Amino acid sequence: MKANMYLDNQLCQSIEGDDIEDLIESNFRIFKKTIQNKAGNAAGYELENVWITRVSDTVCELHVIAHGDDSMLNYNAIEEESKEVVFKLEDIPVEEFDGTFEFELTEKKEF
């Protein structure tokens, strides 16, 4: 399976995977910097929720909810807000993925 990844309507990169889970997990390094820039802080970020959903015959959206990493000096959890980053993925065939898939976040899983 192949997909073109967009952020803010700009093509970022083409990605590949065996299925929808592999497509995201094996390419997550591509998403990491954007997530940190938009939802994290200088120390990094912590993922809260990650899911992909189909929005049309040609477009899926990868949603990432994250917040800044608390290992940053002077981190204030009271002021920290979770933020959502949405990536658009095009060209995933409907017959290969049609619906919503929520990724299980565990300590063992390396994103």
Side-chain angles (χ1 to χ4, degrees):
M1 167 184 316
K2 293 182 183 182
N4 289 316
M5 180 186 83
Y6 293 82
L7 181 65
D8 300 327
N9 291 319
Q10 292 190 348
L11 178 63
C12 298
Q13 189 164 345
S14 293
I15 57 177
E16 276 186 62
D18 295 333
D19 55 26
I20 199 68
E21 187 174 8
D22 184 55
L23 180 76
I24 303 306
E25 290 182 357
S26 66
N27 292 287
F28 207 77
R29 70 192 183 298
I30 297 166
F31 302 98
K32 287 174 92 168
K33 184 171 176 69
T34 299
I35 296 167
Q36 182 168 348
N37 290 343
K38 292 192 175 271
N41 58 31
Y45 61 88
E46 292 184 30
L47 294 173
E48 293 177 29
N49 200 358
V50 179
W51 74 95
I52 187 167
T53 189
R54 180 162 296 280
V55 293
S56 75
D57 286 347
T58 58
V59 177
C60 294
E61 288 180 341
L62 176 68
H63 296 257
V64 178
I65 307 285
H67 65 272
D69 192 320
D70 63 0
S71 64
M72 183 173 169
L73 225 53
N74 300 321
Y75 177 84
N76 185 341
I78 294 170
E79 294 176 5
E80 180 64 29
E81 292 182 23
S82 298
K83 297 171 192 86
E84 182 175 17
V85 182
V86 180
F87 298 91
K88 184 169 77 170
L89 299 173
E90 288 188 345
D91 304 325
I92 297 172
V94 173
E95 55 274 0
E96 300 233 13
F97 173 71
D98 188 20
T100 299
F101 182 84
E102 189 163 340
F103 293 86
E104 184 179 345
L105 303 179
T106 65
E107 292 288 325
K108 297 176 190 171
K109 214 170 252 191
E110 178 63 32
F111 283 104

